[in-house]
Amino acid sequence: YKLIMGEYGEAVVEELREQGILPAMQATVGNHTRNLGTAPCNLWSTRVSGVVQIPYAFASGHYTNSEQVNIAEWISEMARESGFINFVPQTSQSNYVLVQTESGCWSWVGMQSGAHGVSLGYGCLTLGIAQHEFLHALSFFHEQSCPD
């Protein structure tokens, strides 16, 4: 909570709560506050008018034009609904999400230096899976991965 609040601001935290992504309250057991599922570092920091800009590109030859359009629409829908992120085609940005067809569906968690790999391989080209993997790129990880 504090990490997200510090990086993105109270309005973003409230939006995430309203969407059910963050709980309304933190759980504390002993002196340990429940981890909300975001990586403690590697958050995307480029903003335009308060909106986090996340550049993306498709690996050459990995997807048909139709598949690229679908993926772009799916991640744009997620961005619109959030109100605080925007996926933009990569131009000259050195840090960006590189969408590629590797084995399986996966993504590194959080911003990586250079090309950040997101794989939408065989069986992964659905709205839910694409958005799931892009949430990893945004620094969210699986709840079962939390130390608490």
Side-chain angles (χ1 to χ4, degrees):
Y1 171 81
K2 290 178 184 177
L3 172 68
I4 297 170
M5 177 75 84
E7 281 294 317
Y8 300 119
E10 187 172 348
V12 169
V13 171
E14 289 305 314
E15 181 70 26
L16 291 172
R17 284 181 179 162
E18 288 173 13
Q19 292 181 26
I21 296 171
L22 290 181
M25 300 192 58
Q26 290 179 305
T28 302
V29 177
N31 65 353
H32 182 73
T33 301
R34 182 172 174 80
N35 188 327
L36 296 176
T38 59
C41 57
N42 299 336
L43 297 175
W44 296 85
S45 59
T46 303
R47 291 177 178 80
V48 174
S49 300
V51 177
V52 179
Q53 305 293 307
I54 302 165
Y56 70 94
F58 294 99
S60 180
H62 284 229
Y63 299 98
T64 66
N65 286 340
S66 176
E67 290 170 333
Q68 290 181 25
V69 167
N70 286 339
I71 294 166
E73 286 177 1
W74 296 334
I75 63 175
S76 292
E77 176 184 318
M78 182 172 63
R80 276 191 309 277
E81 290 177 7
S82 78
F84 66 90
I85 60 172
N86 188 25
F87 292 102
V88 297
Q90 189 248 356
T91 54
S92 62
Q93 301 94 332
S94 59
N95 297 327
Y96 63 98
V97 174
L98 179 63
V99 188
Q100 55 197 341
T101 54
E102 298 291 333
S103 179
C105 319
W106 56 264
S107 173
W108 296 107
V109 176
M111 185 188 77
Q112 305 296 309
S113 180
H116 170 118
V118 169
S119 174
L120 297 176
Y122 179 76
C124 304
L125 291 179
T126 68
L127 178 142
I129 292 173
Q131 290 182 345
H132 175 102
E133 298 309 334
F134 270 82
L135 281 169
H136 288 312
L138 288 169
S139 298
F140 287 89
F141 54 89
H142 298 135
E143 185 63 26
Q144 72 268 21
S145 300
C146 295
D148 61 342

